[in-house]
Amino acid sequence: GENVEQHPSTLSVQEGDSAVIKCTYSDSASNYFPWYKQELGKGPQLIIDIRSNVGEKKDQRIAVTLNKTAKHFSLHITETQPEDSAVYFCALQKDTGRRALTFGSGTRLQVQP
Amino acid sequence: GAGVSQSPRYKVAKRGQDVALRCDPISGHVSLFWYQQALGQGPEFLTYFQNEAQLDKSGLPSDRFFAERPEGSVSTLKIQRTQQEDSAVYLCASSLPRMLMNTEAFFGQGTRLTVV
């Protein structure tokens, strides 16, 4: 079945620095890879996603890279701001069979002003 | 509505009590998912509906958990004879699949269940 490992579990950076979170997975049938941001007391919110036919996607300060051969994908946040502080989850999903999202264990990002 | 709405936001139940958690998905969204999120962990899948059909309930941890979506819109997750290990945040998500492709899942704020 699907399994996804996420690292690091906590990450502290100075405002303006970059942050990188990595996830590895085992099921080669996975073809949709979203990243969610969860603030305290709220539900997860999609910040960026990528499909298996794309190697990289960028949206302003956020980018995601995908290496299907090595089965890992990463979230990159540049020019971090205090409001980026939250828990970030990677996830994956298949278009066939089991339709549920499988989530990583989360990374708590703290951006120090 | 503007987003996925869940009620109640907080629920305290005595051990052995039955609870019902409600989810109002985004209007028109075909797919509806329930997830359980324990403290400090990622959400874990419970069950999935496409319209009124429950297509996957493989994540339900025991037969005390039951979910329904009778008219293909509002869904209810029911937990019978609650136990302390049921304490968690229960998240509902909905999406509008495009053809056979997965698209963004929108999450509600969740219901925090505490069993005492």
Side-chain angles (χ1 to χ4, degrees), chain A residues 1-4 27 29-34 36 90-104, chain B residues 31-36 43-50 55-60 91 93 95 97 100 102-103 105 107:
Chain A
E2 302 91 346
N3 185 45
V4 55
D27 189 346
S30 302
N31 56 10
Y32 176 63
F33 306 88
Y36 285 86
C90 64
L92 50 80
Q93 195 173 28
K94 298 189 290 188
D95 281 338
T96 59
R98 196 164 192 256
R99 300 300 292 269
L101 286 164
T102 298
F103 285 85
Chain B
S31 297
L32 186 146
F33 300 83
W34 283 99
Y35 292 86
Q36 181 189 59
E44 293 198 355
F45 169 74
L46 293 176
T47 187
Y48 161 60
F49 290 86
Q50 185 171 307
L55 299 186
D56 188 350
K57 53 181 181 179
S58 62
L60 295 176
L91 294 164
S95 68
L100 293 177
N102 291 309
T103 56
F107 281 82

Side-chain angles (χ1 to χ4, degrees), chain B residues 3 10 15-16 22 25 33 36-37 40 49 55 58 63-64 66 75 78 85 87 89 91 101 105 109 113 115:
Chain B
Y10 304 93
R15 190 171 53 183
R22 177 187 170 103
F33 300 83
Q36 181 189 59
Q37 186 174 26
F49 290 86
L55 299 186
S58 62
D63 58 8
R64 296 185 297 104
F66 172 77
S75 177
K78 298 179 179 178
E85 59 261 33
S87 296
V89 174
L91 294 164
M101 296 170 62
Q109 290 190 301
L113 172 65
V115 181

Side-chain angles (χ1 to χ4, degrees), chain B residues 9 13 18 23 26 29-30 35 39 41 43 59 64-65 68 72-73 78 85-89 93 95 104 106 112 115:
Chain B
R9 286 292 318 277
D18 297 350
C23 172
I26 294 173
H29 276 198
V30 169
Y35 292 86
L39 190 63
Q41 298 182 21
R64 296 185 297 104
F65 287 71
E68 60 183 4
S73 178
K78 298 179 179 178
E85 59 261 33
D86 300 335
S87 296
V89 174
S95 68
E104 177 179 359
F106 294 84
R112 180 177 295 278
V115 181

Side-chain angles (χ1 to χ4, degrees), chain A residues 15-47:
Chain A
E15 183 176 359
D17 287 351
S18 295
V20 180
I21 303 170
K22 298 181 179 180
C23 287
T24 59
Y25 63 98
S26 56
D27 189 346
S28 57
S30 302
N31 56 10
Y32 176 63
F33 306 88
W35 284 89
Y36 285 86
K37 176 183 181 182
Q38 188 173 30
E39 297 176 317
L40 196 62
K42 297 184 178 180
Q45 182 177 18
L46 182 77
I47 55 171

